[in-house]
């Protein structure tokens, strides 16, 4: 009872019979959006609470961003632990646990006393909260990408998997819109005094909602048809049997992750601090560009199902390789400069975001797919993504900010070589028949 096996036939037919195109995708995707809202709320609002946790520091924002980067150090551990958990016990339990950890981290930040109240214990609590969120995010990408890849009908894996970044970007947009609303309602002073807590408390509430939604998901059993085929040590198995695929995941990510953290959501904060750009105008531009990214991703994902993953991945890398330096030179604090630079950067990044989750998932067999994807991906993000805003801020203080686009250009060059030398996986079978286990009635 409650279990039905669906062998893929025509995509439309499978979607109607299994319900995969409706609630399953929505529940998994919305949970991802809520988690990413919680994750990015920290750097978006750090400018307001940094002095309350790091008073007397010469650069409190840099200290706060260092804590943000510290959260990335625990993403590899989350990528190992939660992704391995997903391969051993199921995608649904891993997704549910990830949502719970993220909600707990947001609640800790939202209620944490300041340095003047708790002394050095306050930033320690802040670090612990970011550790929990780092663990959650490390496992989130792998579990969500694997889940969407495995429930997608044949010929639509790129379309379905594009919702990994669609919903992640929705979370970023929502954090940006939250900041716009709070600035207009309570103002900058209100945010600095107490209002910065509101987005984290809200994140904790919606995190509980995400937990409940994911608990109602059906479980794809594609990853382990039977108990005796389950991989007991997926990390060792990946390292032993698929080291080349793991290195490819790192290569896929080294250029894209700093592009994402620098361009998609930190660039507005940079022009506000560096060029004294109007804060609300910069945030509105960011929201518009991010919404454009949400709109274009499904189309690019569907395109990759027709033309393959490699052409879009290569387009991303070539775009940044050619344009990263001249685009950075255009920034001057004007709204049009920000719109052009962020718009062009996001358009090329979309070519990566639409297909990277499925392209990486297709490199591994079902029994170790979450681990194979999550472990190297989270390591690459921790090394090349998390420190990017902090590095930009530090180099800017030394008058060396011009180095950043050149480094980004070089990393995208590395990724381009990996894309061009990797096998095309669009027609590669992702596994056997899909078994969906429905939750019990009631």
């Amino acid at each position: 009872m409650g279990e039905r096996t669906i062998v893929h036939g025509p995509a439309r037919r499978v979607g109607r019979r299994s319900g995969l195109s409706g609630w399953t995708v929505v529940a998994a995707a919305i949970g991802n959006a809520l988690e990413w809202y919680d994750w990015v709320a920290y750097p978006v609002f750090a400018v307001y609470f940094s002095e309350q946790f790091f008073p007397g520091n010469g650069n409190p924002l840099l200290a706060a961003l260092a804590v943000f980067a510290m959260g990335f150090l625990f993403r590899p551990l989350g990528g190992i632990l939660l992704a391995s958990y997903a391969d051993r016990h199921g995608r649904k339990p891993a997704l549910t646990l990830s949502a719970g950890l993220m909600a707990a981290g947001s609640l800790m930040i939202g209620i944490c006393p300041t340095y003047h109240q708790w002394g050095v214990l306050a930033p320690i609590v802040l670090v612990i909260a970011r550790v929990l969120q780092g663990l959650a995010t490390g496992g989130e990408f792998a579990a969500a990408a694997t889940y969407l890849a495995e429930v997608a009908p044949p010929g639509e894996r790129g379309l379905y998997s594009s919702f990994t970044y669609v919903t992640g970007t929705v979370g970023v947009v929502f954090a940006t819109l939250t900041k716009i609303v709070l600035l207009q309602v309570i103002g900058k002073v209100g945010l600095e005094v107490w209002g910065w807590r509101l987005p984290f408390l809200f994140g904790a509430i919606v995190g509980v909602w995400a937990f409940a939604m994911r608990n109602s998901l059906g479980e794809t059993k594609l990853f382990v048809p039977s108990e005796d085929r389950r991989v007991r040590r997926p990390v060792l198995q990946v390292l032993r049997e698929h080291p080349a695929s793991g290195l490819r995941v790192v290569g896929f990510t080294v250029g894209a992750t700093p592009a994402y953290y620098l361009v998609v959501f930190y660039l507005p904060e940079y022009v506000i601090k560096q060029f004294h750009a109007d804060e609300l105008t910069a945030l509105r531009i960011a929201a518009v560009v991010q919404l454009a990214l949400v709109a274009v991703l499904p189309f690019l994902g569907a395109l990759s199902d027709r033309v393959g993953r490699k052409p879009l991945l290569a387009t991303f890398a070539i775009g940044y390789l050619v344009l990263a330096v001249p685009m950075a030179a255009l920034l001057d604090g004007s709204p049009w400069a920000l719109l052009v630079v962020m718009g062009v950067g996001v358009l090329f990044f979309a070519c990566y975001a639409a297909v990277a989750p499925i392209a990486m998932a297709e490199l591994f067999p079902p029994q170790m797919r979450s681990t194979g994807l999550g472990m190297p991906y989270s390591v690459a993000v921790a090394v090349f993504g998390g420190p990017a805003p902090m590095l930009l801020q530090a180099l800017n203080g030394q008058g060396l900010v011009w180095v950043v686009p050149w480094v980004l250009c070089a990393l995208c060059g590395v990724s381009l070589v990996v894309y061009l030398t990797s096998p095309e996986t669009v027609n590669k079978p992702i596994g056997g028949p899909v078994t969906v286990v429905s939750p019990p009635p009631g």
Side-chain angles (χ1 to χ4, degrees), residues 272-364:
I272 291 168
K273 294 286 290 184
Q274 175 66 16
F275 299 107
H276 306 290
D278 180 73
E279 190 167 23
L280 281 175
T281 300
L283 292 173
R284 287 168 181 153
I285 290 172
V288 169
V289 173
Q290 291 160 359
L291 286 172
L293 175 61
V294 170
V296 76
L297 283 174
F299 294 99
L300 294 175
L303 178 64
S304 78
D305 289 323
R306 295 175 176 269
V307 304
R309 320 299 186 204
K310 292 175 65 173
L312 274 76
L313 292 169
T315 298
F316 151 73
I318 292 171
Y320 271 84
L321 191 62
V322 173
L323 295 175
V325 174
M327 286 293 102
L330 286 178
L331 289 174
D332 60 4
S334 70
W336 287 109
L338 177 61
L339 179 62
V340 170
V341 173
M342 196 171 181
V344 171
V346 165
L347 178 62
F348 279 103
F349 176 78
C351 295
Y352 166 89
V355 300
I358 187 60
M360 292 186 288
E362 288 168 339
L363 294 172
F364 300 94

Side-chain angles (χ1 to χ4, degrees), residues 1-4 436-441:
M1 293 294 292
E3 179 171 319
R4 57 192 188 278
V436 176
V437 180
S438 301

Side-chain angles (χ1 to χ4, degrees), residues 406-426:
W406 284 103
V407 173
L408 179 58
C409 182
L411 292 174
C412 287
V414 173
S415 288
L416 178 61
V417 173
V418 176
Y419 299 148
L420 296 178
T421 56
S422 296
E424 178 58 73
T425 57
V426 66

Side-chain angles (χ1 to χ4, degrees), residues 378-400:
S378 56
V379 169
V381 171
V383 175
F384 298 98
M390 183 183 68
L391 179 64
L392 177 63
Q393 191 73 20
L395 289 176
N396 185 46
Q398 300 296 321
L400 297 173

